[in-house]
Amino acid sequence: MHENRTSYPKRKTQMYQQLQELPKKYKVMAIIKMNKVRSTQILPLRKTLKDDVEFFSVKDKVAQKALENSDIPGMKDMIGEFKGQVMIMFTNMSPFKLNVLLAKNKIMMMARGGDIASVDVVVPAKNTGIAPGPMLTEFKEAGIPTKIDQGTIWIAKDSTPVLKGEAINEKLAAILGKLDIKPVEAGITLFTALEDGLKYAEEEMIIDVEKVRDEFAQAHQEAISLSIEAAYVTPENIEQILAKAAQSARSVSVESGYMTDETKEQILQKADAQARAVAGQAKDYTPA
């Protein structure tokens, strides 16, 4: 019934126009699927990345309509990714760096039934401030020892109702919520991104920073070892090359019997040892 509509709400019109302009302003457009993300995860990110990233929340049909005639390379491939509620991020940093920053900015959240605990869930002994009643049964079923004191429920001692990696049931999630315990670590990863006409899939943008750092460190060490073997002098290896050359020179001096202040003792010790060996052989020698 909206096919012949000629006017739209002002806010929707502004969003439409803004969405047409933003891809021209930034080098990278990335998409987050909001069906996997809670709004409480976005707010801290907006603050942390406000100088580098512009966030834009929009419905799929509005995004498709606004960008369908865009002449930006690769945009037609991106339009098909606008399904359901999405969050678009516009930035000039690479999608790989953006994904690393998102991974670093994880937050601890309240649990929902079925969530997996990111840590061992410790419920400390304290006054909950909750009046006795049905909640006593809830605490008991969750394995949290309690007592009644001064008209409220007290947790009698520290307890760990759920270990890291275990599922949190709905009743326990409700208890943890009342106690303001946040056992679920939540982060955001990009679903897809467009940069310079290239579209990246989710798995292509995931970088194991520690693994890459270790690989660079290993490559650096191997390069130093190779340069030392090849005697290719650099500021990083000159001391090691000179030390190796000095050691080689000492070895040659000792083997050849060429005395220097540094090698005369070793040469004399070697000559003495050889002389003793010859003397020993001569002593044991019996003429035929």
Side-chain angles (χ1 to χ4, degrees):
M1 64 179 181
H2 299 297
E3 290 182 3
N4 298 321
R5 185 184 230 179
T6 57
S7 62
Y8 297 88
K10 183 178 179 180
R11 182 173 175 276
K12 184 174 286 190
T13 300
Q14 289 175 337
M15 289 177 63
Y16 184 90
Q17 293 173 343
Q18 191 177 6
L19 191 51
Q20 288 181 316
E21 294 300 321
L22 284 172
K24 301 174 185 177
K25 181 181 175 183
Y26 294 95
K27 296 178 182 178
V28 172
M29 182 176 80
I31 295 176
I32 298 170
K33 293 287 189 178
M34 293 302 290
N35 62 322
K36 298 180 180 180
V37 178
R38 302 179 194 176
S39 59
T40 48
Q41 294 174 251
I42 299 295
L43 294 175
L45 285 176
R46 284 185 182 274
K47 288 185 177 181
T48 303
L49 303 175
K50 64 180 180 180
D51 296 328
D52 300 302
V53 180
E54 191 160 346
F55 292 78
F56 197 91
S57 183
V58 63
K59 291 185 177 180
D60 53 0
K61 296 189 182 301
V62 176
Q64 291 169 2
K65 188 68 176 176
L67 298 171
E68 63 182 356
N69 295 318
S70 172
D71 58 357
I72 294 176
M75 187 59 75
K76 285 182 171 53
D77 292 332
M78 289 290 284
I79 290 175
E81 304 295 352
F82 292 110
K83 298 174 182 176
Q85 187 73 16
V86 298
M87 174 74 73
I88 307 175
M89 304 172 76
F90 295 97
T91 181
N92 286 322
M93 74 175 72
S94 77
F96 304 98
K97 181 179 179 179
L98 177 57
N99 222 20
V100 169
L101 288 176
L102 292 177
K104 286 183 177 180
N105 285 277
K106 293 181 179 180
I107 61 173
M108 299 304 293
M109 301 180 63
M110 295 293 186
R112 294 175 178 173
D115 282 346
I116 302 300
S118 302
V119 295
D120 291 347
V121 180
V122 178
V123 180
K126 67 175 184 176
N127 181 4
T128 68
I130 301 172
M135 281 300 295
L136 278 172
T137 302
E138 303 288 337
F139 278 108
K140 184 177 180 180
E141 290 179 353
I144 302 173
T146 58
K147 63 181 180 180
I148 306 298
D149 191 5
Q150 299 176 4
T152 58
I153 299 174
W154 287 66
I155 297 173
K157 62 179 181 179
D158 292 358
S159 60
T160 308
V162 174
L163 297 176
K164 179 180 179 180
E166 295 179 346
I168 301 171
N169 62 48
E170 192 169 343
K171 288 185 178 180
L172 178 58
I175 292 174
L176 297 177
K178 291 180 182 296
L179 299 176
D180 196 30
I181 295 175
K182 301 176 180 180
V184 178
E185 185 181 58
I188 294 173
T189 56
L190 301 180
F191 176 73
T192 186
L194 180 68
E195 179 185 32
D196 296 331
L198 293 175
K199 178 186 171 189
Y200 296 100
E202 183 174 9
E203 59 275 10
E204 293 176 315
M205 295 181 287
I206 297 174
I207 298 176
D208 187 332
V209 177
E210 291 302 321
K211 181 181 178 182
V212 172
R213 184 181 289 116
D214 291 343
E215 288 175 349
F216 271 111
Q218 182 179 352
H220 178 259
Q221 187 56 51
E222 289 174 353
I224 289 178
S225 299
L226 179 60
S227 68
I228 292 171
E229 287 299 317
Y232 183 86
V233 178
T234 70
E236 290 81 9
N237 68 16
I238 186 168
E239 290 186 5
Q240 292 164 286
I241 288 178
L242 290 176
K244 182 183 178 186
Q247 182 58 46
S248 297
R250 283 192 292 270
S251 297
V252 171
S253 172
V254 172
E255 287 299 317
S256 65
Y258 183 85
M259 286 192 183
T260 68
D261 289 340
E262 290 183 344
T263 62
K264 61 185 180 182
E265 287 189 11
Q266 290 174 278
I267 291 174
L268 291 173
Q269 288 173 356
K270 180 181 178 183
D272 181 66
Q274 290 174 337
R276 289 176 183 276
V278 171
Q281 290 176 354
K283 183 178 179 181
D284 296 336
Y285 175 72
T286 302

